[in-house]
């Protein structure tokens, strides 16, 4: 096994400096054919072909089809909707959602659906799977239909969602209508969408994934749910809204609740044997025999730790494969899984703090810096003075004490730290203590990788 030198899967690769030098030397000198095995067509053509730049393409993988580890890495991409034979333990949910929207096939109004559940419980997968199948059936029965999938996290205003729907419809229908990217309001984008729908479709399913991220979800749902009755379109529109936040329904104001009746489902976390099965069904992402015994079980166990989260499991297995691959290992081992779990946690924290301000990152970094191995708690005042030092280190102007305590409460809301109220007894003052709840090294690495100034401070990387 040649996998003992990896750091953390952060992309250390097998390219040697020599190979890169060779490539540079060969550029523009077509006579110097240093590249050894002339078996691959693409290699024979041009020794310095940019198609074979060793910075990106491995020796021996010039046709790019696979690697000694991977047979089909895409199978473990989160966006991939796996075929029905790879879907585990969601038969009931699939049938239930299908039962609500099936009316579309008979040219009648589908029910609107809201799906709640924690991350990685198959909400996106089931929604896309059922909608795709419905569209196929409807179309085969001469009811032209389409389904549109909107990631609301990336389209977090009503205008952006409307634009995404309009542009996706234009693409799918092949209408050739150019829809402007900027300068229009939601009303204009809806108009584009309705024009295309009426010309090409009788039915439409709109999946609004992570709808709780949209600023004006009420407006959006109100518009789409009554488009037909308001005479904007003749087509039947069914909505599948997905939310990680169970309180979302209550937050929708009365206006929407009265005009839009929904059927709600809650997806429960997977059991650890279901997670194991999900991964087992994707084993063919790897070359035969490279996944060592116990690796899939280990990945499933470690991912079912908090709650049965299939996303985490799929992520960890893919990252473990990447680490093995990057290190030219012959097999994927438990050791790779171990490193992948860390990496996946770091990626998650990075995702969580992605949208926070640069100052919040400095506060989080400060808390991480203060935290020793035994994860101590710190008073706001202690954090604040250390925060001033951090600001000095990176050349930032410190915020006020009050702003920093607000940031500390936000970090707690995001689930990265927690705050405890201390004191309040006889003649005592009340103060707060703050503590990381994620692993200190994971937080430090994530925050250093998310902020340029901090990463400079650490010479580019935080070693753990
Ligand atoms: N029942 C299942 N069978 C097979 N794979 C699943 C299942 N549920 C989830 N997955 C996989 O786990 C990952 C996360 O699932 P996803 O549907 O995005 O979860 P959610 O939307 O609830 O966060 C995806 O790669 C998905 O293919
Ligand atoms: Mg999802």
């Amino acid at each position: 096994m040649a996998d003992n030198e990896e750091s953390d899967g952060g992309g250390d690769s097998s390219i040697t400096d020599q190979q890169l030098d060779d490539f540079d030397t060969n550029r523009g000198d077509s006579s110097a054919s240093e590249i050894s095995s002339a078996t691959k067509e693409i290699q024979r053509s041009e020794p310095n072909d940019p198609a074979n730049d060793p910075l990106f393409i491995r020796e021996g993988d010039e046709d790019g089809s696979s690697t000694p580890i991977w047979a089909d890495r895409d199978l473990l991409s989160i966006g991939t909707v796996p075929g029905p034979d790879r879907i585990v333990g969601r038969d009931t949910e699939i049938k239930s959602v299908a039962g609500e929207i099936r009316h579309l096939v008979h040219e009648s109004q589908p029910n609107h659906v809201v799906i709640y559940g924690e991350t990685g419980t198959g909400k996106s997968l089931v929604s896309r799977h059922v909608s795709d199948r419905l569209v196929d059936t409807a179309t085969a029965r001469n009811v032209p239909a389409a389904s549109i999938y909107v990631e609301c996290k990336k389209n977090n205003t009503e205008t952006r969602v409307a634009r995404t729907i309009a542009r996706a419809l234009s693409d799918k229908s092949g209408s050739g209508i150019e829809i402007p990217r900027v300068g229009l309001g939601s009303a204009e984008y809806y108009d584009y969408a309705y024009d295309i729908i009426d010309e090409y479709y009788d039915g439409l399913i709109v999946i609004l994934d992570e709808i709780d991220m949209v600023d004006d979800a009420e407006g959006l749902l109100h518009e789409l749910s009554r488009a037909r009755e308001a005479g904007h379109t003749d087509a039947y529109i069914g909505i599948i809204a997905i939310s990680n936040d169970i309180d979302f329904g209550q937050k929708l104001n009365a206006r929407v609740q009265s005009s839009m009746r929904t059927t709600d489902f809650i997806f429960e976390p997977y059991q650890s044997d279901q997670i194991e099965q999900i991964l087992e069904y994707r084993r063919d992402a790897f070359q035969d025999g490279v996944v060592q015994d116990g690796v899939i079980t280990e990945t499933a166990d470690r991912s079912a730790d908090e709650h049965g989260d299939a996303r985490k499991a799929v992520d960890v297995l893919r990252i473990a494969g990447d680490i093995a691959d990057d290190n030219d290992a012959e097999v994927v081992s438990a050791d790779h899984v171990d490193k992948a779990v860390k990496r996946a946690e770091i990626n998650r924290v990075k995702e969580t703090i992605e949208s926070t301000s640069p100052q919040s990152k400095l506060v989080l970094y400060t808390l991480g810096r203060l935290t020793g191995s035994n994860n101590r708690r710190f008073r706001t005042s202690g954090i604040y003075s250390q925060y001033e030092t951090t600001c000095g280190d990176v050349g930032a102007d410190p915020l006020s004490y009050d702003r920093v305590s607000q940031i500390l409460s936000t970090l707690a809301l995001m689930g990265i730290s927690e705050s405890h109220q201390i004191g309040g007894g006889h003649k005592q003052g009340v103060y707060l203590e703050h503590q990381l709840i994620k692993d200190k090294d994971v937080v430090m690495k994530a925050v250093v990788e998310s902020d340029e100034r901090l990463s400079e401070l650490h010479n580019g990387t935080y070693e753990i």
Side-chain angles (χ1 to χ4, degrees), residues 62-185:
E62 287 78 3
D63 67 350
S65 61
S66 58
T67 74
I69 295 288
W70 291 118
D72 181 6
R73 181 177 178 275
D74 260 3
L75 260 185
L76 293 175
S77 300
I78 291 298
T80 302
V81 182
D85 51 335
R86 297 186 201 267
I87 301 181
V88 176
R90 284 292 182 243
D91 290 354
T92 316
E93 288 78 0
I94 289 173
K95 282 190 191 125
S96 309
V97 173
E100 300 301 321
I101 62 173
R102 73 187 165 82
H103 314 285
L104 199 78
V105 168
H106 306 293
E107 283 187 84
S108 148
Q109 178 61 46
N111 298 329
H112 304 303
V113 171
V114 185
I115 303 178
Y116 300 102
E118 294 191 64
T119 346
T121 50
K123 303 180 298 295
S124 307
L125 167 66
V126 167
S127 306
R128 298 178 81 166
H129 171 78
V130 175
S131 315
D132 288 352
R133 276 174 73 173
L134 181 79
V135 165
D136 288 349
T137 306
T139 309
R141 297 174 66 104
N142 284 324
V143 181
S147 75
I148 304 285
Y149 174 77
V150 186
E151 267 181 285
C152 297
K153 202 173 176 180
K154 293 189 186 144
N155 298 278
N156 59 356
T157 64
E158 185 180 6
T159 306
R160 288 185 191 151
V161 173
R163 177 179 63 196
T164 303
I165 294 173
R167 290 177 67 92
L169 279 166
S170 177
D171 269 6
K172 279 207 172 179
S173 62
S175 74
I177 298 176
E178 275 293 325
I179 294 168
R181 217 172 255 287
V182 290
L184 301 186

Side-chain angles (χ1 to χ4, degrees), residues 391-410:
C391 286
D393 289 348
V394 299
D397 291 334
L399 297 175
S400 70
Y401 185 90
D402 282 351
R403 284 287 299 125
V404 170
S405 30
Q406 280 167 13
I407 290 177
L408 286 164
S409 356
T410 315

Side-chain angles (χ1 to χ4, degrees), residues 123-124 149 209-210 242 311:
K123 303 180 298 295
S124 307
Y149 174 77
D209 205 348
E210 303 197 52
I242 302 175
R311 167 182 306 245

Side-chain angles (χ1 to χ4, degrees), residues 265-281:
F265 297 102
I266 297 176
F267 282 23
E268 297 297 336
Y270 295 107
Q271 305 295 319
S272 110
D273 58 332
Q274 289 177 312
I275 301 268
E276 188 165 343
Q277 190 81 102
I278 288 171
L279 297 180
E280 200 52 65
Y281 283 173

Side-chain angles (χ1 to χ4, degrees), residues 161-344:
V161 173
R163 177 179 63 196
T164 303
I165 294 173
R167 290 177 67 92
L169 279 166
S170 177
D171 269 6
K172 279 207 172 179
S173 62
S175 74
I177 298 176
E178 275 293 325
I179 294 168
R181 217 172 255 287
V182 290
L184 301 186
S186 55
E188 282 98 347
Y189 285 120
Y190 287 131
D191 284 344
Y192 269 115
Y194 297 140
D195 284 349
I196 298 172
I197 295 170
D198 281 336
E199 173 146 10
Y200 293 91
Y201 303 112
D202 292 341
L204 181 73
I205 298 291
V206 182
I207 302 172
L208 299 169
D209 205 348
E210 303 197 52
I211 185 157
D212 43 317
M213 300 286 176
V214 179
D215 282 348
D216 185 13
E218 291 91 348
L220 172 66
L221 291 172
H222 185 71
E223 171 67 35
L224 290 177
S225 62
R226 53 182 296 282
R228 186 165 192 277
E229 135 199 350
H232 298 156
T233 170
D234 293 331
Y236 294 97
I237 300 181
I239 301 167
I240 302 180
I242 302 175
S243 167
N244 286 1
D245 175 7
I246 190 91
D247 297 331
F248 173 75
Q250 271 132 38
K251 287 188 205 145
L252 281 184
N253 67 24
R255 183 169 71 127
V256 181
Q257 279 175 0
S258 62
S259 74
M260 180 187 170
R261 269 193 296 124
T262 62
T263 310
D264 299 355
F265 297 102
I266 297 176
F267 282 23
E268 297 297 336
Y270 295 107
Q271 305 295 319
S272 110
D273 58 332
Q274 289 177 312
I275 301 268
E276 188 165 343
Q277 190 81 102
I278 288 171
L279 297 180
E280 200 52 65
Y281 283 173
R282 310 219 193 164
R283 191 189 269 274
D284 51 338
F286 296 93
Q287 300 287 3
D288 266 357
V290 302
V291 177
Q292 279 196 329
D293 286 352
V295 157
I296 285 193
T297 315
E298 166 89 4
T299 307
D301 287 350
R302 306 232 356 215
S303 312
D305 256 7
E306 291 168 33
H307 71 267
D309 179 344
R311 167 182 306 245
K312 183 170 176 190
V314 170
D315 269 342
V316 168
L317 193 59
R318 187 190 62 256
I319 296 170
D322 281 342
I323 294 175
D325 200 35
D326 284 347
N327 290 281
D328 286 338
E330 281 150 21
V331 293
V332 183
S333 67
D335 186 39
H336 296 133
V337 174
D338 203 50
K339 295 194 163 82
V341 169
K342 268 251 151 66
R343 187 69 242 177

